[in-house]
Amino acid sequence: MATNSILKFGENATSILSQTQYEDDAQRLMGHQPGPARSALENKVLKQVSVIAAGVAEFIADNQNNNVTDLLDKDALAQYLSNAIVAAIPSATSSVAGKTVMASASEAQQYQLDSKAITPLTMKNAIV
């Protein structure tokens, strides 16, 4: 199983704005200003960003075979995410929505498949 090295920041931070303080903070809207950095604001920014990054990275690691690290380039990360999304979607059945594999006309003529779908045109070609 793949591992995720992208971790959440500031889980135990004591100098961090509450969600309400963050929502109301004028500097959050303006961005960084000249002068001393406010650790409570910066910790909240980094925590918010890292929660999303860590969650997406965990999904990627859980649903494909490559480790997720901060050494990946954007193309590799995009491919891993694409692979994870495809892997996370179950195969469709008569009772589960999911990805579907289409049957050919010759497969439809065999009347043996329960794992592929048939379009009306494929069915017509199978019985003609």
Side-chain angles (χ1 to χ4, degrees):
M1 182 168 171
T3 60
N4 169 28
S5 312
I6 309 301
L7 305 175
K8 187 171 128 180
F9 177 87
E11 285 187 76
N12 300 320
T14 56
S15 176
I16 190 166
L17 295 179
S18 69
Q19 186 63 28
T20 302
Q21 290 170 319
Y22 185 61
E23 289 170 2
D24 296 339
D25 194 290
Q27 194 171 352
R28 178 186 60 84
L29 299 172
M30 295 183 298
H32 292 294
Q33 301 298 307
R38 294 171 43 219
S39 64
L41 175 60
E42 190 63 21
N43 283 339
K44 184 65 172 182
V45 170
L46 293 172
K47 184 175 182 181
Q48 291 235 328
V49 170
S50 69
V51 165
I52 297 299
V56 170
E58 190 62 35
F59 173 82
I60 293 169
D62 288 349
N63 290 286
Q64 53 82 60
N65 297 320
N66 299 290
N67 294 333
V68 182
T69 73
D70 59 4
L71 300 175
L72 294 171
D73 64 37
K74 66 177 180 59
D75 294 330
L77 186 60
Q79 186 60 57
Y80 294 176
L81 177 58
S82 178
N83 294 348
I85 290 169
V86 169
I89 300 170
S91 295
T93 67
S94 58
S95 60
V96 175
K99 57 188 168 200
T100 305
V101 177
M102 303 306 292
S104 67
S106 63
E107 290 172 320
Q109 287 174 336
Q110 296 172 21
Y111 301 109
Q112 299 290 321
L113 291 173
D114 195 29
S115 61
K116 294 185 179 181
I118 301 172
T119 66
L121 181 59
T122 301
M123 178 58 79
K124 177 184 172 200
N125 292 338
I127 57 177
V128 172

